[in-house]
Amino acid sequence: MNEIVKVQNGEITVAEELVKKIVEFNKAKQEMEYQEKLLKDGLMNAMNEVGIKKFIIKGLSATIKDGTVRTTIDSKRLKEECPDIYEAYSKTSEVKPSITLTVSD
């Protein structure tokens, strides 16, 4: 994998090995996240069944947080109906550059 990305005549070429590794990594990550969700759900169900909210065993700490109700501002509606208020309470901040990769099956 000498040259990962080449730009030639305004076209970008990405090394096939890199694409393959990213796709494989993404699939493994999705499977691990799914397995983690199953484990967490099972653990939470078991904890609820016996009435335990928190425990620590061999470096694993598990805490069940109760569900809450969250209030948010409908910024789209506020901007449409009260643009002056929206502008007065809006703040701007820098966001560092990032890259998004999407893998399709």
Side-chain angles (χ1 to χ4, degrees):
M1 193 159 52
N2 297 355
E3 295 186 42
I4 295 174
V5 178
K6 287 184 190 178
V7 178
Q8 193 172 32
N9 300 327
E11 296 287 323
I12 295 176
T13 306
V14 180
E16 186 67 32
E17 185 179 337
L18 175 67
V19 173
K20 183 180 175 185
K21 284 185 178 186
I22 290 173
V23 169
E24 288 172 359
F25 177 80
N26 188 270
K27 286 180 182 179
K29 179 180 164 191
Q30 287 177 352
E31 178 60 26
M32 290 177 73
E33 287 171 348
Y34 175 72
Q35 292 298 324
E36 180 185 36
K37 182 186 178 329
L38 292 178
L39 292 169
K40 284 181 172 181
D41 288 349
L43 181 58
M44 187 164 77
N45 289 338
M47 290 172 68
N48 282 329
E49 196 173 301
V50 295
I52 297 173
K53 289 279 191 181
K54 182 175 183 169
F55 74 84
I56 300 172
I57 298 175
K58 297 184 181 181
L60 171 65
S61 173
T63 304
I64 295 176
K65 296 179 185 176
D66 292 330
T68 62
V69 175
R70 178 183 300 166
T71 302
T72 60
I73 301 294
D74 182 345
S75 60
K76 181 180 177 185
R77 183 174 165 206
L78 180 62
K79 187 175 184 178
E80 290 172 359
E81 295 179 11
C82 304
D84 294 343
I85 293 173
Y86 175 83
E87 189 63 36
Y89 286 90
S90 293
K91 66 179 185 177
T92 304
S93 57
E94 280 192 41
V95 178
K96 71 177 190 171
S98 65
I99 185 170
T100 300
L101 304 176
T102 303
V103 176
S104 57
D105 293 329

